[in-house]
Amino acid sequence: MSLYDTIESAFLQVLKSGRTPSRLHLTEAGLQTLINDPTLGAAWTPSIPDFWEQRVLGMPLQKSLAHNAIEVDGELVLLDRQPPSPSAK
């Protein structure tokens, strides 16, 4: 699964839970992976030369030193891990 597919899957899972994702946190490597992703490549806005100013699935991007994650209600949902099941709370 590509990074974009992982982001999209996590985004949809968050929406299904009734919450709203607000920001996408990416490492430099994560951003480079998305820049080179053929699925997303055509979606970049050419008039915005700084990729950090782009949006993915409507979410603004934030630089991260450690993780690729989606921010939801002030918490980070890491993209390389499954979110906890509701019964784990």
Side-chain angles (χ1 to χ4, degrees):
M1 182 182 297
S2 74
L3 178 57
Y4 180 76
D5 291 335
T6 302
I7 292 167
E8 185 178 49
S9 175
F11 180 84
L12 292 173
Q13 188 172 4
V14 167
L15 289 178
K16 285 179 186 177
S17 74
R19 298 164 64 192
T20 304
S22 59
R23 185 173 301 274
L24 179 60
H25 294 252
L26 293 173
T27 61
E28 286 286 344
L31 178 64
Q32 288 303 314
T33 299
L34 284 184
I35 289 170
N36 296 320
D37 186 297
T39 304
L40 188 60
W44 294 117
T45 306
S47 62
I48 303 175
D50 182 355
F51 281 102
W52 287 110
E53 297 297 320
Q54 299 280 346
R55 290 178 173 261
V56 174
L57 298 172
M59 295 180 290
L61 303 181
Q62 174 80 37
K63 288 182 184 179
S64 172
L65 296 176
H67 303 287
N68 294 320
I70 292 177
E71 185 175 328
V72 182
D73 300 331
E75 296 179 15
L76 294 182
V77 176
L78 300 182
L79 295 175
D80 55 351
R81 296 187 188 147
Q82 292 292 335
S85 67
S87 61
K89 289 184 176 183

